[in-house]
Amino acid sequence: MRTNLFFFKFVKSLKEILRNILIELREWIEFIINNITGRSGFILRKQYYKNLFKGKLLNCRIQRGFIAECSKNIKFGKNIYIGFNCKILASSKSKIVFGDNFECNSNVMINSRGIGEIIIGNNVL
């Protein structure tokens, strides 16, 4: 009986350790991708975020230093430009929607961490 209890505690702690390693690995990958310069950086960021965000990310340019939280609740239209060091922060209970032809300058933070949504229409600078 004690062996089973020990085994279950061990498996539970092992799962937690592996989960933390995967989270940290993802953070390292995002850090590296978000700081690659030049055209190759744009291409890598577009391909990486295409799988995380909703929307097609057609003609999307994301500059270095970009940070996004809860990316499954962020949706982009087409023709998007995001400047250096921008942050887009959603939560599991909120969403952020960007229309087509959206551009933002460097150091912009869009924060919807509470409950609700932010909707930015088309042709917004």
Side-chain angles (χ1 to χ4, degrees):
M1 186 73 167
R2 285 186 177 192
T3 306
N4 288 342
L5 183 61
F6 173 76
F7 179 75
F8 287 122
K9 285 183 179 181
F10 174 75
V11 169
K12 185 178 178 182
S13 66
L14 187 61
K15 283 182 182 179
E16 185 68 25
I17 290 168
L18 290 175
R19 183 179 163 275
N20 288 334
I21 289 171
L22 289 174
I23 289 170
E24 191 164 330
L25 182 62
R26 179 176 164 228
E27 289 174 357
W28 275 104
I29 289 169
E30 284 184 4
F31 175 80
I32 291 168
I33 287 173
N34 284 330
N35 288 292
I36 295 174
T37 61
R39 185 163 170 78
S40 58
F42 280 123
I43 292 168
L44 284 170
R45 282 186 289 279
K46 179 179 179 180
Q47 291 304 315
Y48 180 75
Y49 286 114
K50 188 179 187 174
N51 296 319
L52 293 179
F53 294 125
K54 291 181 179 177
K56 295 187 172 117
L57 282 114
L58 296 173
N59 194 24
C60 175
R61 294 184 308 146
I62 299 173
Q63 290 284 1
R64 289 180 288 131
F66 177 67
I67 295 174
E69 287 183 4
C70 205
S71 56
K72 66 181 180 178
N73 290 341
I74 300 171
K75 181 180 180 186
F76 285 108
K78 58 185 177 186
N79 301 322
I80 302 294
Y81 174 81
I82 298 175
F84 291 97
N85 302 317
C86 288
K87 298 176 184 177
I88 299 175
L89 311 171
S91 73
S92 60
K93 297 180 180 180
S94 68
K95 71 178 184 176
I96 303 174
V97 178
F98 296 91
D100 297 339
N101 307 314
F102 171 79
E103 293 188 22
C104 68
N105 291 327
S106 299
N107 302 312
V108 171
M109 180 169 71
I110 299 171
N111 186 349
S112 175
R113 284 190 178 159
I115 298 173
E117 60 186 34
I118 295 173
I119 298 175
I120 300 174
N122 295 331
N123 305 313
V124 175
L125 173 62

